[in-house]
Amino acid sequence: VTDPEVRTAVVTGASSGIGEATARRLAAAGYRVVAAARRRDRLDKLAADVPGVRPVTLDVTDQASVDALAGSLDRCDVLVNNAGGAFGLEPVAGAQVDDWQRMYDVNVLGALRVTRALLPKLVASGDGVLVMLTSTAAFVSYEGGGGYCAAKHAQTAMTETLRLELCGEPVRVVEVAPGMVKTDEFALTRFGGDAERAAKVYEGVPGPLTADDIADVIAFAVTRPAHVNIDRLVVRPRAQAAQHKVHRVA
Ligand code: 8X3
């Protein structure tokens, strides 16, 4: 684990869902993994469970916390900007400004803070890979999704801009855009802890994606040869042909 030649992957939002699955998957692929999130107790459990994982407490909305993460790293070869989430499903007419602010702060500005802090290390790696977790909500919109879709669209714009600005540098910029992924917390967070409402999101859907499905795709993207940049992977369950076209069985 202390071998300096072992590539280091930083995963934000690693305490649950896609982030946790990605930390596990990249550790299994031989990376030293820095699992970063606010909930330290969960990270400690993850680190105790998976050799090669180091827990770091991180709040992506707090610049000092992001700076402390950057200062604790001797290298960073892979950065997975995964921390994020949706808050609320109100129409624009009834939107809660606080929810939108949080969505922007975590999804967009959080990714910006972490990217800015770690970019010099990704360049120094000689083969850096930045993975941005967006969503199918990054290129379509849906009723009630105004704030979340806007934040995810913004993340895509930032990702594409970064790829242009880094052209010529040894850093790949990859966007992974999942559709319906059933995780323990995504829908629960969106609905403020209302488990009944959260369960309805996936009701009757045969085979929504799992966090492991997305972790697998991320691992594939980052383990291509250095000259292969996968710009964007859109990943949906077979039962979801488009944002609104979801097959459900009774
Ligand atoms: C999550 C997918 O459809 O809830 O990013 O926006 S969706």
Side-chain angles (χ1 to χ4, degrees), residues 133-150:
L133 261 296
T134 64
S135 167
T136 49
F139 49 88
V140 294
S141 299
Y142 54 86
E143 303 91 327
Y148 182 67
C149 293

Side-chain angles (χ1 to χ4, degrees), residues 164-193:
L164 294 170
E165 291 171 354
L166 291 175
C167 186
E169 298 287 351
V171 180
R172 289 178 272 164
V173 180
V174 176
E175 176 180 353
V176 175
M180 184 181 278
V181 184
K182 187 177 181 201
T183 60
D184 290 341
E185 295 184 354
F186 179 83
L188 206 56
T189 304
R190 163 165 266 172
F191 298 125

Side-chain angles (χ1 to χ4, degrees), residues 154-165:
Q155 268 184 273
T156 292
M158 176 178 147
T159 308
E160 291 179 348
T161 304
L162 202 52
R163 195 180 299 117
L164 294 170
E165 291 171 354

